[in-house]
């Protein structure tokens, strides 16, 4: 059974609770069928991790400003590229086959941005694991947890789903070939395109 922390975090990642939403201890306890003490401890932990922020006496889901997003993408690009480079060196044949299968299966979700976002998360997680470096995986978990604070997925932009899947295929090809430099480049390009797409979405929303 999942603990209160995991339940609340999953709800934030899934968009049940979005940036700016107020989290009330009693409501969360009732929603998830747990007592208030573990909920209180979970909220404190999420506040420590900057997933939640204080608004007076209340806790709300944090939001990321433009500078925070830019910093997050910079760190993500470096860590993800390292994971791809290490995966090209250490991934087992089975892991490479799973990555390739993911790309093929994810094509079926092309018209569904939310399904694509979930598939994208699974794909990147698989690369992290294929790096066979537990400390890198821990850091990437933190980065991806923080990414849950983005109001919407960049995969919602028109045409982005298709190009993202093509980028995924190039990353897998490089890992399968054992070419660390190419995997690094392909992953950096993928993150760069995701950031560029998000900037465009921000600009449109601001207009």
């Amino acid at each position: 059974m999942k603990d209160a922390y995991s339940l609340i975090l999953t709800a934030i990642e899934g968009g049940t609770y979005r940036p700016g939403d107020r989290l009330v201890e009693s409501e969360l306890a009732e929603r998830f069928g747990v007592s208030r003490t573990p909920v209180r401890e979970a909220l404190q932990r999420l506040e420590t991790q900057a997933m939640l922020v204080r608004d007076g006496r209340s806790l709300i889901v944090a939001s990321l400003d433009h500078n925070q997003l830019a910093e997050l993408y910079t760190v993500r690009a470096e860590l993800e590229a390292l994971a791809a480079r290490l995966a090209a060196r250490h991934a087992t044949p089975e892991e490479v086959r799973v990555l390739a299968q993911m790309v093929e299966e994810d094509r079926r979700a092309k018209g569904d941005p939310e399904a694509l976002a979930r598939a994208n998360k699974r794909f990147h997680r698989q690369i992290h694991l294929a790096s066979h470096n537990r400390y890198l995986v821990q850091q990437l978990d933190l980065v991806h947890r923080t990414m849950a604070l983005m109001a919407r997925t960049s995969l919602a932009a028109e045409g982005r789903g298709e190009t993202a899947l093509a980028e995924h295929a190039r990353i897998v090809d490089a890992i399968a070939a054992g070419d660390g430099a190419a995997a690094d480049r392909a992953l950096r390009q993928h993150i760069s395109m995701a950031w560029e797409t998000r900037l465009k979405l921000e600009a449109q929303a601001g207009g």
Side-chain angles (χ1 to χ4, degrees):
M1 180 179 155
K2 281 191 169 183
D3 60 16
Y5 171 82
S6 299
L7 289 165
I8 298 168
L9 184 59
T10 300
I12 293 171
E13 289 177 335
T16 303
Y17 300 115
R18 296 185 174 275
D21 285 353
R22 198 174 307 280
L23 296 188
V24 180
E25 191 180 295
S26 57
E27 290 174 6
L28 291 167
E30 187 175 342
R31 180 188 189 108
F32 296 123
V34 295
S35 66
R36 290 178 65 159
T37 300
V39 169
R40 188 179 308 123
E41 290 168 354
L43 292 176
Q44 289 170 350
R45 185 175 169 193
L46 287 163
E47 184 183 7
T48 302
Q49 293 171 342
M51 295 292 287
L52 303 177
V53 292
R54 288 271 162 197
D55 180 23
R57 295 180 63 187
S58 302
L59 280 171
I60 62 171
V61 180
S63 54
L64 300 173
D65 63 25
H66 177 83
N67 289 337
Q68 288 172 308
L69 279 173
E71 291 164 12
L72 185 61
Y73 270 94
T74 298
V75 170
R76 185 185 173 200
E78 294 298 325
L79 294 179
E80 294 265 14
L82 174 58
R85 200 159 67 242
L86 291 174
R89 195 182 307 162
H90 300 302
T92 65
E94 293 83 3
E95 286 173 321
V96 174
R97 284 199 293 274
V98 167
L99 283 167
Q101 286 163 10
M102 282 180 164
V103 174
E104 287 308 310
E105 288 167 5
D106 294 347
R107 292 188 199 283
R108 293 201 289 269
K110 265 193 298 196
D112 184 342
E114 296 305 322
L116 265 182
R118 290 191 295 273
N120 184 62
K121 192 181 298 182
R122 285 194 298 271
F123 176 79
H124 282 274
R125 173 72 176 164
Q126 191 62 36
I127 292 175
H128 305 166
L129 295 173
S131 74
H132 292 272
N133 186 306
R134 73 193 72 181
Y135 302 105
L136 179 57
V137 171
Q138 286 172 1
Q139 294 306 310
L140 280 161
D141 280 350
L142 176 61
V143 168
H144 278 259
R145 190 163 62 228
T146 307
M147 285 176 63
L149 299 176
M150 296 178 188
R152 55 181 171 161
T153 172
S154 61
L155 293 164
E158 189 177 346
R160 177 60 192 148
E162 190 137 4
T163 54
L165 287 172
E167 290 159 15
H168 282 184
R170 283 194 288 274
I171 294 165
V172 175
D173 287 345
I175 291 172
D179 190 336
D184 182 299
R185 279 195 307 275
L187 207 311
R188 284 180 191 276
Q189 177 68 16
H190 177 54
I191 302 299
S192 175
M193 289 300 296
W195 177 221
E196 187 177 322
T197 302
R198 187 165 293 282
L199 286 172
K200 288 175 183 173
L201 287 173
E202 269 193 5
Q204 288 165 5

